[in-house]
Amino acid sequence: MREILGRRRRLLSRRSGGRPEMLGAALTFATDWRWPVLPGVAPDPQGRARCGCPDPECTVPGAHPFDPGLLAATTDERMIRWWWTNRPAAPIVLATGGTAPCAVSLPAPAATRALAALDRMGMRLGPVVASPTRWALLVAPYSLEQLGELLYAKDHVPGSLRFHGEGGYIALPPSETGQGRIGWERAPLPGSAAPWVPDVEAVVDAVVEALTRTGVSAPEL
C-alpha cells in the first residue's frame, strides 16, 4: 500500500521531473489502473516545438507514438520498466478505447469556459487532461457505432471537438511535449483503483450545450 501511495503522489505532482516521476506515473497507469500505455516521441532537441518523428509538419509534436507503434501499448510491468529505463523522459501515451478510457477534447480556451458551465450545471466529470492548447475529458470506452449514433442525433456538433476512441491516443501527465507540459486540470482522486469516468453521451450532451451557451461553437485551433 505504501508503494502504491508513493506512485500516486508522483503521478499527481505538477513539477517537472525525470526518470522516477515518469516511470512512477507510467506504472500507475499500466499496473494499478490497467490502462495500456507506451512511450511517445520526444520533442526535437533542436527545437521543442518540432517533433522527433520524420514528419516535419507533425501537428502533435512529441505527443504521439512512433517507435514502437500504437499496437505495442501494454499494461505489462516489465515492458513499462524497460521502456522508461531506456527512455526516462519519454512522454506517456495512452492507447484509448478497448478496456481503457476514451476522451473528448477541445481547445483550451473553449474548455475553460465549458468546464465552468458544466460546474454550474452540476455535471460530474472524471479526470481532465490539459495541455497548453487542448484539454481532454476522459470518458468510458465507446464504440464507433455508439459515437456515430450520438452525433447523428444532434442538430449541430462544434467543429472544435475531437474524439479519441478505439485506435486513438492521448498524452498523459506529467509528459513534456513539443506543445508544452501535460498536466491534470481535474486530477484523479487518490486511491489504488482506476478513476471513475462518465459515459460519453453525458459528456458530449453537456459539452455541446455548454459551448452553445457560451457562444463557442465554431472550430478553434
Side-chain angles (χ1 to χ4, degrees):
M1 179 62 71
R2 183 174 300 172
E3 181 182 359
I4 292 175
L5 293 177
R7 289 178 186 172
R8 182 76 57 166
R9 282 192 290 270
R10 290 193 295 272
L11 170 66
L12 299 180
S13 172
R14 289 177 177 267
R15 296 178 300 171
S16 62
R19 171 176 168 178
E21 185 183 22
M22 297 302 296
L23 176 58
L27 286 170
T28 295
F29 296 135
T31 64
D32 294 348
W33 297 357
R34 310 307 296 172
W35 291 1
V37 298
L38 75 163
V41 182
D44 188 335
Q46 301 301 317
R48 295 199 62 81
R50 299 197 303 269
C51 189
C53 76
D55 184 359
E57 299 181 359
C58 180
T59 58
V60 284
H64 68 91
F66 175 67
D67 183 17
L70 186 63
L71 292 179
T74 185
T75 59
D76 181 74
E77 180 176 351
R78 290 175 299 176
M79 196 73 243
I80 300 299
R81 289 187 181 277
W82 189 86
W83 275 333
W84 272 276
T85 296
N86 287 279
R87 299 168 59 182
I92 302 170
V93 174
L94 168 69
T96 54
T99 60
C102 295
V104 177
S105 72
L106 60 163
T112 301
R113 294 189 286 273
L115 260 63
L118 297 185
D119 288 341
R120 292 191 294 270
M121 295 163 55
M123 173 73 186
R124 182 187 179 192
L125 294 174
V128 177
V129 176
S131 76
T133 57
R134 293 189 73 84
W135 292 5
L137 288 67
L138 299 189
V139 298
Y142 59 78
S143 66
L144 289 178
E145 293 77 11
Q146 182 182 4
L147 179 63
E149 292 176 0
L150 173 63
L151 300 182
Y152 181 77
K154 295 196 171 300
D155 294 331
H156 174 69
V157 176
S160 56
L161 291 182
R162 295 178 189 167
F163 301 92
H164 309 260
E166 186 75 31
Y169 59 86
I170 61 170
L172 292 174
S175 300
E176 187 73 37
T177 74
Q179 297 174 329
R181 172 158 285 252
I182 308 295
W184 295 111
E185 177 59 30
R186 301 284 173 92
L189 295 176
S192 59
W196 175 86
V197 289
D199 290 337
V200 66
E201 293 92 340
V203 168
V204 171
D205 288 345
V207 167
V208 169
E209 180 179 353
L211 293 181
T212 302
R213 283 185 179 183
T214 56
V216 184
S217 58
E220 297 182 44
L221 298 179

